[in-house]
Amino acid sequence: MAQAFVSFQLVASQWGAPAELVVAAYDDVVARYREPHRRYHTLEHIGEVLELVDGTEVELAAWFHDIIYDTTAPDSEARSAMYAGDVLRRLGAPADVISEVQRLIELTAGHGAADDDVAGKQLIAADLAILSSSRERYDRYARDVRAEYAHVDDSTWRAGRTAVLKSLLALAPDERARSNLARELASFSSPQT
């Protein structure tokens, strides 16, 4: 956690905010990513994304893109963008930085960015990097996401997750991602025990 704090502190304190504001913002971020309903959308995920991004706006978007995670609402990304804007204003970030961070966060809702959107493509690729992970890590991700939707019955889950997996297959960056997604998708067509 100390390394994570240093990373957050470096990017969040560059506009001269008092140290106590930066610490309070970090503590709130950590508390939110430790909410009891989260299994995949945790600090581990944020750390994995941060390893693959570079640049103030993209790093901030990585920190805040899942800050609001409500599996019963369709607007978590929009709410996360609003939250990030509020925090960044308190930290003294310029308006152009805030608007870019918010734009990037909202891109994670559909996982799409224009071909010439370097920052957007970087964040989306980092957010979806889990798809190309090892079989063991991918399977843990799939179990963790299911746990985050524990309130959804199996039939509804299978239908919804199937639609998500099919859309992710279209975005899959490599053969390992396609294999992981296809394997999970096939698990929904096998007989349930």
Side-chain angles (χ1 to χ4, degrees), residues 135 138-139 142 157-159 161-166 169 177-193:
R135 181 181 183 122
Y138 182 90
D139 289 349
W157 167 254
R158 290 165 67 92
R161 185 67 176 167
T162 295
V164 167
L165 293 172
K166 287 180 178 178
L169 266 170
R178 286 186 286 281
S179 174
N180 281 331
L181 291 162
R183 190 168 39 79
E184 185 182 357
L185 195 54
S187 74
F188 292 140
S189 60
S190 62
Q192 296 298 296
T193 56

Side-chain angles (χ1 to χ4, degrees), residues 40-54:
Y40 171 68
H41 294 89
T42 64
L43 287 171
E44 179 183 21
H45 169 59
I46 299 309
E48 291 170 340
V49 172
L50 284 166
E51 288 178 12
L52 302 173
V53 299
D54 184 46

Side-chain angles (χ1 to χ4, degrees), residues 89-118:
R89 273 187 280 286
R90 286 195 301 274
L91 295 175
D96 62 323
V97 169
I98 294 169
S99 64
E100 176 65 355
V101 169
Q102 290 178 312
R103 182 189 75 80
L104 291 169
I105 291 169
E106 294 208 29
L107 286 178
T108 65
H111 291 104
D115 288 339
D116 63 347
D117 184 356
V118 175

